[in-house]
C-alpha cells in the first residue's frame, strides 16, 4: 500500500489555469519495475483574482471554472530512479461576459526523480535526499493570452531537490525548485510594449517569467490510510508584468501561497480512491482559486 501511494501527493497540485505543472513531486520512490497509474477528475473555481497583489472582482468575468481529467503515471526504472509523466484534458470558462471558452489538451510533463542519498536511523526511520529534473510542453497549440486560458503555452525546465524524512507512520518532505520558462510566440503583435518582456526582433515573441518554488508537506501513512497536509509558495524569479488591458498574460509575474490536503483509502489489493482539496491563501496576478479532485489509483 505504501508503494501504491507513491507519487499521489502531487495530484492535488496538478492543474490550475496558470500554475499547471507546479508541485509535481513528492518524496516517495516507487520501487524498481513497479508502477502506479492515477486517473482523477478535478474542478477549480475562482470569482476574485489578484492584480499584482490587490484582490479584485470583475462582474464581466464572473466565476471562472476549470474542469479537467488528469492522468498521472510513475514507473521505477531502478530502486533509486523513477520516471514520471502526467497530462490533462481541460475545459475552462467564465460565467459572465463574452470571454470564449477554452477546451482541449493542456500540457504534458515528464520527469526523472533520483534518490541520491538514503540515511537510516534505527529500523524504521530514514532520511532521503532526492533530486528531480522535469520538462513541460503544450500538447496542442492552445490560446495562451486570453482572459481565460488552458495555460501559458511555454516550454519549461523544472529542477528541484527534496529532503524526505519518514518514521514508522509519519513523514515530512521539504522541497525547493526553480522553473525556467521559455519564450512564447503569440498570433499577434502585442500592443502593450514593455522592452523587458518582448523580443525586439519579433514583436509577437514574449518572455515568460521564471519562478522559484518551495513546498512543505507532512502526513501519516499506514496500511489503511494516507493523509497529508501541505503548503506551496511560488515566487516570480524574473521580472514580469501585472494584469492590465493589452498585457499578454504569459508575461505576468505570477506568485501565490496555497495550502491543501490529500486523502487516500485502499479498496482492494492494488486499487484505491483518492480525494484532494486546496485553496489559495494569497497571490499575485492569479485567481484566488479553490480546487477539488477525486479519482482512482492503480498499482501495477
Amino acid at each position: 500500500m505504501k508503494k501504491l501511494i507513491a507519487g499521489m501527493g502531487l495530484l492535488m497540485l496538478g492543474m490550475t489555469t496558470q500554475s499547471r505543472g507546479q508541485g509535481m513531486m513528492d518524496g516517495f520512490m516507487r520501487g524498481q519495475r513497479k508502477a502506479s497509474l492515477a486517473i482523477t477528475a478535478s474542478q477549480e473555481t475562482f470569482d476574485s483574482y489578484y492584480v499584482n497583489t490587490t484582490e479584485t472582482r470583475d462582474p464581466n468575468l464572473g466565476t471562472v471554472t476549470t474542469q479537467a481529467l488528469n492522468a498521472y503515471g510513475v514507473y521505477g526504472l531502478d530502486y533509486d530512479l523513477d520516471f514520471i509523466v502526467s497530462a490533462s484534458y481541460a475545459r475552462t470558462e467564465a460565467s459572465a461576459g463574452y470571454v470564449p471558452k477554452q477546451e482541449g489538451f493542456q500540457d504534458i510533463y515528464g520527469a526523472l526523480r533520483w534518490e541520491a542519498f538514503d540515511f537510516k536511523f534505527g529500523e524504521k526511520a530514514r532520511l532521503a535526499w532526492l533530486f528531480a529534473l522535469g520538462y513541460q510542453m503544450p500538447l496542442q497549440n492552445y490560446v495562451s493570452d486570453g482572459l481565460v486560458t488552458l495555460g501559458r503555452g511555454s516550454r519549461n525546465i523544472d529542477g528541484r531537490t527534496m529532503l524526505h524524512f519518514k518514521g514508522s507512520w509519519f513523514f515530512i518532505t521539504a522541497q525547493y525548485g526553480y522553473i525556467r520558462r521559455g519564450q512564447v510566440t503569440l498570433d499577434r503583435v502585442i500592443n502593450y510594449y514593455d522592452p523587458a518582456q518582448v523580443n525586439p526582433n519579433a514583436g509577437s515573441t514574449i518572455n515568460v517569467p521564471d519562478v522559484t518554488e518551495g513546498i512543505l508537506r507532512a502526513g501519516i501513512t499506514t496500511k489503511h490510510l494516507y493523509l497529508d497536509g501541505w503548503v506551496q509558495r511560488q515566487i516570480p524569479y524574473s521580472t514580469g508584468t501585472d494584469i492590465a488591458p493589452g498585457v499578454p498574460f504569459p508575461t505576468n509575474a505570477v506568485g501565490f501561497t496555497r495550502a491543501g490536503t490529500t486523502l487516500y483509502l485502499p479498496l482492494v489489493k492494488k486499487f484505491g480512491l483518492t480525494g484532494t482539496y486546496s485553496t489559495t491563501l494569497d497571490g499575485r496576478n492569479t485567481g484566488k482559486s479553490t480546487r477539488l479532485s477525486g479519482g482512482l489509483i492503480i498499482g501495477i
Side-chain angles (χ1 to χ4, degrees), residues 24-272:
M24 298 295 289
M25 293 288 172
D26 64 20
F28 290 95
M29 298 298 294
R30 185 65 188 95
Q32 188 176 21
R33 296 182 180 179
K34 296 182 178 179
S36 295
L37 174 65
I39 303 295
T40 63
S42 63
Q43 176 165 299
E44 180 172 344
T45 60
F46 67 87
D47 56 13
S48 63
Y49 58 92
Y50 299 94
V51 177
N52 197 341
T53 57
T54 302
E55 186 176 343
T56 187
R57 295 174 184 264
D58 185 349
N60 294 317
L61 191 62
T63 300
V64 176
T65 301
T66 300
Q67 297 173 317
L69 183 64
N70 315 292
Y72 165 85
V74 55
Y75 177 74
L77 299 172
D78 207 337
Y79 77 94
D80 59 356
L81 184 65
D82 285 347
F83 174 68
I84 296 168
V85 63
S86 71
S88 298
Y89 185 89
R91 177 178 61 194
T92 183
E93 57 188 336
S95 63
Y98 300 96
V99 180
K101 177 180 70 176
Q102 304 293 331
E103 180 172 357
F105 288 101
Q106 202 193 42
D107 299 345
I108 186 170
Y109 178 87
L112 290 172
R113 177 175 53 190
W114 175 44
E115 186 181 72
F117 301 98
D118 186 10
F119 306 97
K120 295 183 179 178
F121 302 92
E123 296 183 355
K124 296 183 177 179
R126 53 184 289 268
L127 176 67
W129 189 11
L130 303 97
F131 297 87
L133 182 64
Y135 184 75
Q136 178 184 352
M137 60 179 289
L139 272 172
Q140 66 179 51
N141 187 26
Y142 54 74
V143 175
S144 61
D145 66 333
L147 286 173
V148 173
T149 70
L150 296 178
R152 291 191 157 197
S154 60
R155 296 170 183 260
N156 309 324
I157 297 175
D158 181 348
R160 59 190 60 222
T161 184
M162 290 166 277
L163 282 176
H164 176 71
F165 178 81
K166 186 179 181 308
S168 59
W169 54 270
F170 70 96
F171 71 92
I172 183 168
T173 308
Q175 66 173 282
Y176 176 80
Y178 178 85
I179 300 172
R180 178 74 173 91
R181 288 172 167 158
Q183 292 185 324
V184 171
T185 299
L186 308 177
D187 58 0
R188 63 186 174 95
V189 176
I190 63 171
N191 52 22
Y192 178 89
Y193 187 77
D194 182 342
Q197 299 300 330
V198 180
N199 185 331
N201 299 317
S204 58
T205 301
I206 56 175
N207 296 326
V208 182
D210 300 345
V211 296
T212 61
E213 181 176 82
I215 300 174
L216 182 65
R217 177 180 297 132
I220 59 175
T221 174
T222 70
K223 183 178 180 180
H224 305 290
L225 172 72
Y226 171 96
L227 178 65
D228 75 16
W230 53 267
V231 177
Q232 178 190 20
R233 175 68 170 167
Q234 186 177 111
I235 301 173
Y237 181 80
S238 50
T239 303
T241 56
D242 294 324
I243 295 174
V247 174
F249 275 77
T251 64
N252 285 336
V254 172
F256 54 79
T257 302
R258 290 187 177 128
T261 185
T262 305
L263 174 66
Y264 171 78
L265 296 173
L267 293 178
V268 290
K269 295 184 177 180
K270 296 183 178 182
F271 292 85

